[in-house]
Amino acid sequence: AGYAPPPAGYAPPPAGYAPPPAGYASPPPGHAHPGYAPHPGHAPPAGYAPQPYVIAQPVQPLMIVQPGMAVPMAVMGADPLLEGLAMYPGLMVRQKVRSWCCRGLYENQYAICNPWGPGGHKEHILHAYEESACMARCCVGARRGLDLKIKTADDREVLKLDRPFRLFRKGGLFCCCIDSFFQIIKVYAGKDTLNPHQKLGHIRENFSFFVPYLTIFDANNQEVYRIVGDCCGCANYQMRIFRPHEENHDKEHQIGKIAKRWSGLGKEIIAVDNFFIEFPPDANHIQRALLLAATLFIDYLYFETKNDDNGFAIDL
């Protein structure tokens, strides 16, 4: 009862189909489901303060990388921890004091400072510490394999340096074609950066008869800088930074320098070294990170052995 006959071509409703209950009607306009506030004209709760609408910036697509894989500069460039190095035209690296009687047993530690801090005082911005085996420090000395971690004052890891153990220096017995006969240190982004454990580059010691000579490579194994030292040195020593493939290693062509400065007789005796880095003016934060790593590498290659063997002569 109350149903119109179905249009032609439709089957009649099944037997026993009950009509809708009496009084059923369509919901009135503006009706809201119980428990839900009506949308139009709804007032906010008491005490609510409207928040400004923030337009989100476009999100860059995620780059899937494996540990040790080279990362393009554009990806690494957004990291605030690494970009902090671009704020300073130079840095001071101070080796921390070690005991005279146990100096061969301790791992090295360094304070990395801004020499032009507020009020003309040195500003401590980073610290580096070595992780190595005690047996390696006792038996292999300055050629030991080690990790160096560089962290901020609040203990966030910015860089990690990996130096594998290699017995020979500068190609050994003139084996210049064997890569494992050269000292090397690899540089990675720290675990607290946006791309942790990603390779930034490496520094390699080259064959040379009379002067220290190192080459810095980026993550794609392209030469970035050359570092060449003087043929002799003692209390104060300087190594010049040159552009890639620069063959003229005189002062007029240098674009930066790494200099060791006299720490005082007492500190020199107990193996405390001070280094100053003058970055090339156009160096980006990744290149400055590589130069900082090269400075620590230089200390192990040329100045750690001098304190254990023969006084103040540079170890070539």
Side-chain angles (χ1 to χ4, degrees), residues 56-141:
Q57 298 297 323
V59 178
Q60 298 294 331
L62 179 64
M63 178 179 179
I64 306 299
V65 290
Q66 301 297 327
M69 173 181 170
V71 180
M73 189 70 67
V75 177
M76 297 302 304
D79 198 307
L81 284 179
L82 290 172
E83 283 184 336
L85 292 172
M87 298 171 52
Y88 307 102
L91 291 174
M92 177 182 181
V93 178
R94 304 183 66 182
Q95 186 177 13
K96 294 186 178 180
V97 176
R98 298 178 294 171
S99 169
W100 165 265
C101 61
C102 301
R103 59 183 178 172
L105 301 179
Y106 283 135
E107 299 166 317
N108 284 342
Q109 297 184 23
Y110 302 86
I112 301 168
C113 309
N114 171 23
W116 304 284
H121 300 288
K122 298 179 180 65
E123 179 186 12
H124 187 176
I125 58 174
L126 297 169
H127 65 274
Y129 64 91
E130 172 191 339
E131 291 183 348
S132 61
C134 180
M135 186 64 68
R137 294 193 298 273
C138 294
C139 299
V140 188

Side-chain angles (χ1 to χ4, degrees), residues 33 110 181 186 200 223 235 240 266:
H33 190 278
Y110 302 86
F181 279 33
K186 303 172 185 178
L200 304 182
E223 184 176 336
R240 298 183 176 93

